[in-house]
Amino acid sequence: MSSTLRRRDGFDGEKLIGIPSGVLRDVIQPNPALFPLYITHIGYFPKALFHYRERRKGCEDNILIYCLQGKGHYVIGDQRFEVGANQYLLLPATDLYIRYWADYEDPWTIYWVHFTGPQIDAFNQTLHIVPENGPINLAFNEHIIDIWHKTYQSLEWGYSLDNLAQANMRLTYLASLFIYPPKPSLPERSKKDDIISAAITFMSSNLDKKLSVEELAQQHQLSCSYFSMLFRKGTGMAPVDYLIHLKMRKACQLIYADDAKIKDIALSLGYDDPFYFSRIFKKNIGQSPEQYRLTVKKSQSSG
């Protein structure tokens, strides 16, 4: 890219805040519990002709850029991407070479945030934020822009602990709107949703029975494999695991509510063997039924 196309000065209508290093050192970094992630820079560049940044040694921050109009380009490591309107890029903190710039013919309009923190590596690993992800499509959402402006406004008001905490708590929510965008509302439930809902209702009404995946699938005239796929996709759990989850939740309620014998509670939930029930309970709840009962009684007496 020719040096004549590079520009580091401001853009008409831009917004830009960089958190002073002294504030990072004296207010944010001593409070890792309050600031597991925090903003280092935040900005808005409208029609940013000649916008260009090169980071030869990478960046210690995550870089989130949301393109509303126009387009831009970026290079990370040995990969090059183009970013268009209604797309965003989220680059992880890295020591790879980074370069990004506005398209000369149709320069991008972007909202952007740099953020880091003591939990940044875990954040990136858990959400699989890696350099090769590339730009991601995102339907325009006015709520995202509103949250960005409120985050920016908190920092405009100054760098008190309250303002910084408010801005950086909003940062987490803002990032979630990109990573987990709102699902479009549907005027009617889909058939797949109805199948899952009906299966959960049936499970909840028959916790005293030993239900099988075959029985649940047959109710909807589906194969076991296809039903299991639909159910896992909709709930994040296999049908059998979800049924156990419902049974253990009910067991907790029964243990909390009265002094029934554990073997009777097990039997009421379809477990003929109380020892097997206890093993399943401990695996899911983290305590044996007897330990859970003692914990409940102790909390009741102290409450």
Side-chain angles (χ1 to χ4, degrees), residues 61-108:
D61 306 333
N62 277 20
I63 302 174
L64 171 62
I65 298 177
Y66 179 30
C67 179
L68 262 69
Q69 296 177 326
K71 60 183 178 181
H73 312 268
Y74 71 98
V75 173
I76 182 164
D78 58 359
Q79 299 182 88
R80 175 169 172 165
F81 301 94
E82 179 177 291
V83 188
N86 295 316
Q87 289 189 313
Y88 76 92
L89 61 102
L90 179 51
L91 303 181
T94 180
D95 56 4
L96 293 174
Y97 174 86
I98 299 174
R99 184 171 81 249
Y100 48 93
W101 65 96
D103 186 78
Y104 181 66
E105 298 293 336
D106 189 15
W108 59 13

Side-chain angles (χ1 to χ4, degrees), residues 32 79 93 102 117 136 149 152 165 181 204 212 228 241 251 283 295:
Q79 299 182 88
I136 300 170
H149 279 286
Y152 187 90
S204 300
S212 66
S228 296
D241 292 335
K283 180 180 179 181
T295 301

Side-chain angles (χ1 to χ4, degrees), residues 183-190 193:
K183 296 179 180 178
S185 58
L186 298 175
E188 297 180 359
R189 293 173 60 87
S190 70
D193 290 336

Side-chain angles (χ1 to χ4, degrees), residues 68-261:
L68 262 69
Q69 296 177 326
K71 60 183 178 181
H73 312 268
Y74 71 98
V75 173
I76 182 164
D78 58 359
Q79 299 182 88
R80 175 169 172 165
F81 301 94
E82 179 177 291
V83 188
N86 295 316
Q87 289 189 313
Y88 76 92
L89 61 102
L90 179 51
L91 303 181
T94 180
D95 56 4
L96 293 174
Y97 174 86
I98 299 174
R99 184 171 81 249
Y100 48 93
W101 65 96
D103 186 78
Y104 181 66
E105 298 293 336
D106 189 15
W108 59 13
T109 292
I110 54 174
Y111 287 87
W112 56 269
V113 183
H114 287 211
F115 62 96
T116 188
Q119 295 296 319
I120 195 66
D121 289 338
F123 178 84
N124 291 337
Q125 290 171 10
T126 302
L127 296 172
H128 195 61
I129 299 171
V130 293
E132 56 268 24
N133 280 348
I136 300 170
N137 295 328
L138 182 71
F140 176 76
N141 185 336
E142 191 172 343
H143 185 53
I144 289 177
I145 307 303
D146 179 58
I147 296 300
W148 185 95
H149 279 286
K150 287 178 178 176
T151 304
Y152 187 90
Q153 188 178 55
S154 294
L155 297 174
E156 273 190 316
W157 288 340
Y159 302 129
S160 68
L161 182 62
D162 289 351
N163 290 341
L164 290 166
Q166 186 180 64
N168 287 292
M169 288 178 183
R170 284 196 175 116
L171 165 67
T172 303
Y173 179 50
L174 179 65
S176 76
L177 293 175
F178 288 94
I179 298 167
Y180 302 110
K183 296 179 180 178
S185 58
L186 298 175
E188 297 180 359
R189 293 173 60 87
S190 70
K191 185 176 179 180
K192 293 177 181 178
D193 290 336
D194 287 339
I195 289 171
I196 295 168
S197 178
I200 292 173
T201 299
F202 184 76
M203 288 180 185
S204 300
S205 301
N206 293 274
L207 294 180
D208 59 326
K209 297 182 175 65
K210 298 177 181 179
L211 299 176
S212 66
V213 177
E214 289 80 3
E215 289 177 84
L216 295 169
Q218 284 173 3
Q219 287 190 331
H220 303 283
Q221 297 181 334
L222 299 173
S223 69
C224 291
S225 60
Y226 184 66
F227 172 77
S228 296
M229 182 274 292
L230 285 182
F231 195 92
R232 184 184 289 275
K233 189 173 182 180
T235 66
M237 300 174 70
V240 171
D241 292 335
Y242 197 93
L243 178 60
I244 292 173
H245 160 73
L246 292 177
K247 285 176 180 277
M248 294 305 106
R249 187 175 68 180
K250 183 65 175 179
C252 289
Q253 293 171 354
L254 293 172
I255 292 171
Y256 181 88
D258 56 47
D259 292 324
K261 294 181 179 179

